[in-house]
Amino acid sequence: MNIAIISLGCPKNQVDADVFCHALIKAGHQTVADPEQADIIIVNTCGFIQSAKEEAIENILMACQYKQQNPNLKVIVTGCLAERYKQQIIQEIPEVDAVVGIGSNAALPAIVRRVCADGADQIESYGPKSDMQLGGARVISTPRHYAYLKIAEGCNNGCYYCAIPLIRGALRSREINDCVAEARWLAGEGVRELILVAQDPTAYGEDWGRPGAICELLDRLQEIDGIRWIRILYAYPERISDAFIAAMVRNTKVVPYLDLPIQHCDDAVLKAMNRRGGRKEIEDAIARLRAAIPGITLRTTLIAGFPGETEEQYAELCDFVKTVRFDRLGCFAYSAEENTVAAKMPNQIDEETKQRRADHIMELQAEVSAEREGEKVGHTYECICDGVDDETGMYLLRTKADCPEIDMVYARDSREPADTNRDYGLCRKLPDGSLQPLGLPIWRWDTFYVQIVRSIFDGSWDNAATTRAVNYWWGLRSGAEDLEYQEALPSGTRQLLDLLETLQGSDNVHIFPEKLYDNEDNLHSPENRVYSPKELMEMDWLDACVHGKLPHYDELDVKTRTVLAINGLDNVKGLEK
């Protein structure tokens, strides 16, 4: 059978799909990317908050629509929505052929056989949550250079707003040796970035009576050849012990990045959420992390409009965002989830107010993000390439500060091989206020260095630096039409970008003729005579053209014309445009 798998939601859900996908392939089936070619569509759903539920339902309905052109098509729904709303799916969407709870994922090959049998009725299969597989043979559905490693399932934190324990059950940590074995296999398959996922990785091992076992796991993963980066997704402030921080420091493959889902900062709101600790504990954890790991990237998630949140408590949260200055932050309007304690609380806040508060916090964070990104100017960062953008042909890059599918992606031109000894520069302001550097290319799946250059003209500069900056025109051209950099860049750099943007219409010229520049960024003439920018500034341009030393201005490529304009040579005697 041809099976199309649509997996929604978090990385943990994706790992679940990878495991049952492998089981289906082992059973003799094959996967297809196009649902139109499928005999069976499996929708692996998320059901965490309202927006995720809506997305899941839309995908289920979309899958069922394919039955109009293929009446024999079977649709199977699994994942969190199937676990949480078993009867509703069966009753409300009769086109669904099977609903499979998370405890029955291992039975999917058998369920596929059953739904394909003649005259098969709707199938329901719900095993105990504890039957949910923690690991096992799997495929790798992410790009081959990074992969998620699920180290635990479920949660014991008991936050009153959260439905995860209702869906996924209690905390179950995966054995260390099992985690290490899968990590070694992933490394052998070409994975270079290992991303540890669980509802709360810092609680790893507590169900064995071994709190802090995450430190031992990090020590073991550090030893695996081939893994370059280890990233930990989610760390609860109350569990960020000195031992945990020490493990991050001594294991050099662990990237300086943590997502701290603090949700709020007001002590009364945190208590109402049934969160452990308060503002003091949160600030203490942040201070210890920043002191021990200089340059660490901290992101967080916040909830605006939790039941009973007053305007004063909301104002405190806004002040907290401006004061603590997280590198990345997401704020969500509170979503009342069925059967949670918070959903039954009095003083529920109306949707408009909740969304207004969340939107305002994101506006505040946009300013903070722009400032935090600006602080990186002039520094060099090791990056990894996630692939190539189909529309622009540009490489998609991340630093250690950027988690795939969550944080920002930098674009870099892919039409030339990388030169890791070169500077990379010029940046643009993204809608969220962060800066996106643009410029020279890199090899796919490789690592390279990106240097964000603050300014070409501000302060002291030389011709070599200016010429190098113009080399970044390749990357700039691909996104020039949507640049929003005016507020984020110094005036001199804005002048340069304005000039480049003016020249972008010259699509009929060859921007980088071969061997036009030598290794010192000096200009080659048709006679292979090398002129430095300083020499060009002293030349009579008309005389140079007459003697055949240089072509007419209109025949120059954009790069050369821009170099000339920057150096004031477009207005020299005899030069006609």
Side-chain angles (χ1 to χ4, degrees):
M1 292 288 181
N2 289 337
I3 300 178
I5 298 175
I6 301 172
S7 191
L8 308 172
C10 67
K12 298 184 291 296
N13 215 35
Q14 184 60 57
V15 174
D16 297 340
D18 290 351
V19 173
F20 69 66
C21 178
H22 181 277
L24 291 167
I25 293 173
K26 186 177 180 181
H29 305 287
Q30 60 184 11
T31 58
V32 294
D34 186 356
E36 291 186 356
Q37 301 175 1
D39 302 305
I40 298 172
I41 299 177
I42 299 177
V43 185
N44 188 34
T45 59
C46 176
F48 181 42
I49 57 176
Q50 184 62 31
S51 59
K53 289 183 283 188
E54 291 173 359
E55 181 187 22
I57 293 170
E58 289 173 2
N59 276 271
I60 295 170
L61 295 175
M62 179 193 70
C64 292
Q65 286 178 356
Y66 285 105
K67 290 191 171 189
Q68 296 177 5
Q69 56 196 79
N70 180 9
N72 295 321
L73 175 71
K74 305 299 181 182
V75 175
I76 299 174
V77 178
T78 187
C80 291
L81 194 77
E83 179 70 22
R84 191 175 182 188
Y85 299 102
K86 308 175 178 69
Q87 294 304 315
Q88 291 92 328
I89 296 174
I90 288 291
Q91 295 170 4
E92 301 297 330
I93 314 178
E95 296 87 350
V96 169
D97 297 281
V99 179
V100 182
I102 62 171
S104 290
N105 275 356
L108 272 168
I111 292 171
V112 165
R113 290 194 300 271
R114 290 172 58 192
V115 297
C116 293
D118 292 337
D121 296 325
Q122 274 187 322
I123 296 173
E124 300 178 63
S125 180
Y126 314 111
K129 292 178 175 59
S130 56
D131 286 352
M132 178 70 185
Q133 296 170 285
L134 294 180
R138 57 179 285 199
V139 300
I140 303 174
S141 57
T142 53
R144 66 184 299 267
H145 60 289
Y146 75 82
Y148 300 104
L149 176 66
K150 186 165 74 168
I151 65 173
E153 185 57 83
C155 184
N156 291 344
N157 288 338
C159 302
Y160 285 164
Y161 52 81
C162 184
I164 290 297
L166 301 176
I167 302 171
R168 294 277 177 166
L171 173 67
R172 291 185 298 127
S173 301
R174 188 176 175 187
E175 290 292 336
I176 289 180
N177 288 340
D178 195 25
C179 293
V180 172
E182 181 172 327
R184 284 205 178 96
W185 173 77
L186 291 169
E189 293 295 309
V191 169
R192 296 295 172 261
E193 179 181 6
L194 194 63
I195 305 170
L196 310 188
V197 293
Q199 191 62 30
D200 179 4
T202 47
Y204 178 76
E206 288 185 0
D207 51 319
W208 311 329
R210 291 173 56 192
I214 183 69
C215 301
E216 180 183 349
L217 178 60
L218 293 177
D219 291 340
R220 295 281 301 278
L221 296 176
Q222 171 76 20
E223 300 171 356
I224 298 176
D225 293 336
I227 299 297
R228 295 278 299 275
W229 292 357
I230 300 171
R231 190 182 302 274
I232 308 166
L233 275 193
Y234 316 123
Y236 281 59
E238 65 271 14
R239 291 190 174 94
I240 298 178
S241 62
D242 290 342
F244 174 73
I245 295 176
M248 288 190 67
V249 171
R250 69 173 174 266
N251 292 302
T252 56
K253 293 181 181 180
V254 177
V255 297
Y257 174 104
L258 275 182
D259 188 327
L260 312 175
I262 65 171
Q263 311 306 348
H264 213 284
C265 69
D266 180 80
D267 287 347
V269 174
L270 290 169
K271 183 177 181 180
M273 291 178 169
N274 199 36
R275 299 280 296 187
R276 302 178 186 178
R279 178 166 182 163
K280 181 179 181 299
E281 286 76 15
I282 293 171
E283 291 178 334
D284 176 68
I286 293 171
R288 287 186 291 114
L289 283 166
R290 286 175 169 169
I293 311 173
I296 187 173
T297 296
L298 297 179
R299 74 157 21 252
T300 194
T301 50
L302 302 175
I303 296 175
F306 187 78
E309 181 190 56
T310 66
E311 286 293 342
E312 291 75 18
Q313 291 167 333
Y314 166 67
E316 180 184 354
L317 185 60
C318 293
D319 180 70
F320 181 84
V321 169
K322 293 185 287 186
T323 302
V324 175
R325 290 166 50 83
F326 284 96
D327 298 271
R328 314 280 162 72
L329 181 150
C331 185
F332 303 91
Y334 166 72
S335 174
E337 296 303 309
E338 300 95 326
N339 299 319
T340 61
V341 175
K344 303 171 185 176
M345 287 181 175
N347 301 317
Q348 298 284 331
I349 298 174
D350 64 89
E351 295 298 328
E352 182 178 351
T353 299
K354 291 189 292 186
Q355 194 59 56
R356 173 181 57 79
R357 291 180 180 181
D359 291 343
H360 179 59
I361 287 177
M362 291 306 296
E363 292 172 0
L364 296 176
Q365 179 60 30
E367 299 177 7
V368 174
S369 293
E371 294 172 1
R372 297 291 284 174
E373 291 299 306
E375 293 168 2
K376 298 179 180 179
V377 166
H379 298 278
T380 300
Y381 300 93
E382 184 182 22
C383 298
I384 195 167
C385 177
D386 285 339
V388 179
D389 182 79
D390 292 335
E391 294 184 3
T392 65
M394 300 185 77
Y395 283 113
L396 304 176
L397 320 174
R398 289 182 295 107
T399 69
K400 293 179 180 179
D402 309 301
C403 183
E405 304 179 26
I406 296 176
D407 297 311
M408 69 180 63
V409 175
Y410 301 105
R412 181 107 24 233
D413 198 298
S414 63
R415 284 168 285 189
E416 290 189 356
D419 180 353
T420 57
N421 294 318
R422 296 294 295 267
D423 293 334
Y424 293 80
L426 296 187
C427 50
R428 66 177 178 180
K429 185 181 180 183
L430 296 176
D432 67 352
S434 60
L435 300 181
Q436 179 179 21
L438 299 161
L440 292 173
I442 53 87
W443 285 118
R444 191 173 186 178
W445 314 129
D446 202 356
T447 56
F448 61 98
Y449 292 87
V450 176
Q451 183 173 22
I452 304 175
V453 180
R454 174 179 290 278
S455 173
I456 305 305
F457 291 104
D458 290 3
S460 61
W461 59 278
D462 57 26
N463 287 327
T466 302
T467 308
R468 284 200 305 273
V470 177
N471 291 342
Y472 311 146
W473 175 231
W474 265 119
L476 186 65
R477 291 184 80 243
S478 298
E481 69 278 4
D482 63 347
L483 285 175
E484 297 180 7
Y485 52 77
Q486 293 295 337
E487 299 177 2
L489 298 177
S491 60
T493 306
R494 292 203 300 270
Q495 294 170 13
L496 173 61
L497 292 175
D498 289 340
L499 175 60
L500 294 175
E501 196 166 357
T502 299
L503 293 174
Q504 76 165 332
S506 304
D507 291 330
N508 59 329
V509 297
H510 185 45
I511 299 178
F512 275 159
E514 292 184 3
K515 300 182 179 179
L516 182 63
Y517 291 85
D518 63 14
N519 292 333
E520 299 302 321
D521 286 324
N522 291 321
L523 180 66
H524 283 262
S525 73
E527 299 176 343
N528 206 32
R529 167 77 166 87
V530 177
Y531 295 92
S532 69
K534 181 178 180 181
E535 289 178 299
L536 289 174
M537 294 180 71
E538 297 172 350
M539 290 178 59
D540 183 302
W541 190 266
L542 181 60
D543 180 67
C545 292
V546 168
H547 288 85
K549 296 178 180 177
L550 290 171
H552 189 276
Y553 183 87
D554 288 340
E555 299 173 352
L556 296 177
D557 59 278
V558 171
K559 174 180 174 180
T560 304
R561 289 162 58 186
T562 307
V563 172
L564 297 174
I566 290 173
N567 287 283
L569 294 174
D570 53 343
N571 295 317
V572 300
K573 179 181 177 180
L575 176 60
E576 298 179 0
K577 300 181 182 177

